[in-house]
Amino acid sequence: MKKAILLVLVMLFCVGTVTGCSGGETEHSFVMLSLEQGDIVIELYPETAPQTVKHFLDCVKSGYYDGKVFHRTIPGLIQGGSKDGFGVGGNGKTVFGEFSANGFENNLKHERGVVSMARGEDFNSASAQFFIMTGVQSYLDGQYATFGRVVEGIEIADEIAQMPTRGWSNDELVQKPVIKKAVVLKNYTPPAAKK
C-alpha cells in the first residue's frame, strides 16, 4: 500500500514538473515602467500570449528597457523600446507572433490600455518594441500579439500621445520620453483588486 501511494505521488510530481517545464506560466506578472512623467504598470497575460510574455519579461529582467524611449505616436497608440530610439532594432532576439494571422488564437483586442508587440513585415520578427493602446484600433486585431494591459498610469500614455511630433509621417515624437527603469513588481496588488 505504501509503495502504491509513493508511486502515485512520484507520478504526480513528474506530471507537475513536466507541465511546469512545458510552458507556461499562468500567474500574472506586473511590470512597472518608470518615466519622468510618472509610472506605468502593466499586467501581463501569459494565458493569452505565453512566449511573448516570457520574451518581454526577459527584456525587462535583463535591463534592456532601461534608458530606452517612446519614439512614436499615431492615433490610438504610443510605441517604444527600439534599440536606436528612432524605431529601428530590438534586443537581437525575436519571438513567434502569437496572433491569429499567424495561426495562433489570441482574442485580446487592441483597445485602450492593451499592450502589444510591434513587428516588421515578418510575422515572427517582434523583438523588443511594443506599443500601448490609448484608444481602440480594431484594424490591429489578429495582426499583432497583444499580451497585457495597463493597470496604472494610462494617463501617462495619454500625455505622451499628445506630445508634438515630426517626420515624414508626422509620427516621431520630438521629445522622446525615457523609460528610466523597467522592473518586475513583487507582491503587487492592482488597484481594481484593492477595492
Side-chain angles (χ1 to χ4, degrees):
M1 181 68 169
K2 288 182 182 178
K3 286 183 180 179
I5 292 172
L6 184 60
L7 181 62
V8 169
L9 289 174
V10 168
M11 288 173 60
L12 286 173
F13 174 78
C14 290
V15 168
T17 302
V18 169
T19 304
C21 293
S22 68
E25 289 182 40
T26 54
E27 190 173 314
H28 289 197
S29 297
F30 295 87
V31 168
M32 182 170 68
L33 307 176
S34 294
L35 294 88
E36 188 174 302
Q37 292 81 358
D39 297 334
I40 298 173
V41 179
I42 300 167
E43 182 175 9
L44 304 179
Y45 301 152
E47 70 279 10
T48 300
Q51 291 182 48
T52 305
V53 166
K54 181 184 182 313
H55 183 80
F56 186 78
L57 283 171
D58 288 346
C59 288
V60 171
K61 292 173 185 175
S62 73
Y64 172 82
Y65 288 121
D66 301 351
K68 298 298 186 286
V69 299
F70 283 97
H71 63 275
R72 175 176 187 245
T73 183
I74 61 172
L77 65 85
I78 62 171
Q79 183 173 330
S82 72
K83 185 175 182 176
D84 72 347
F86 292 92
V88 177
N91 71 342
K93 299 175 183 174
T94 58
V95 64
F96 171 76
E98 293 175 310
F99 48 88
S100 61
N102 204 28
F104 185 92
E105 186 177 349
N106 180 337
N107 296 315
L108 181 60
K109 305 290 186 198
H110 286 86
E111 57 191 22
R112 182 170 167 77
V114 166
V115 184
S116 190
M117 288 301 282
R119 62 170 177 80
E121 288 185 27
D122 180 344
F123 283 177
N124 302 312
S125 63
S127 179
Q129 294 189 51
F130 64 96
F131 51 94
I132 297 173
M133 302 303 300
T134 55
V136 175
Q137 293 294 354
S138 56
Y139 74 94
L140 299 171
D141 294 344
Q143 302 295 316
Y144 294 84
T146 50
F147 66 96
R149 185 183 301 272
V150 172
V151 293
E152 280 192 71
I154 191 64
E155 69 279 1
I156 306 302
D158 291 337
E159 183 182 330
I160 293 169
Q162 297 303 313
M163 294 172 76
T165 55
R166 64 182 173 202
W168 65 271
S169 57
N170 200 33
D171 63 350
E172 180 194 348
L173 288 161
V174 174
Q175 292 183 318
K176 298 176 174 61
V178 178
I179 301 169
K180 297 187 291 185
K181 189 82 178 159
V183 295
V184 179
L185 299 176
K186 303 290 183 192
N187 305 315
Y188 174 81
T189 303
K194 292 177 186 174
K195 293 178 182 176

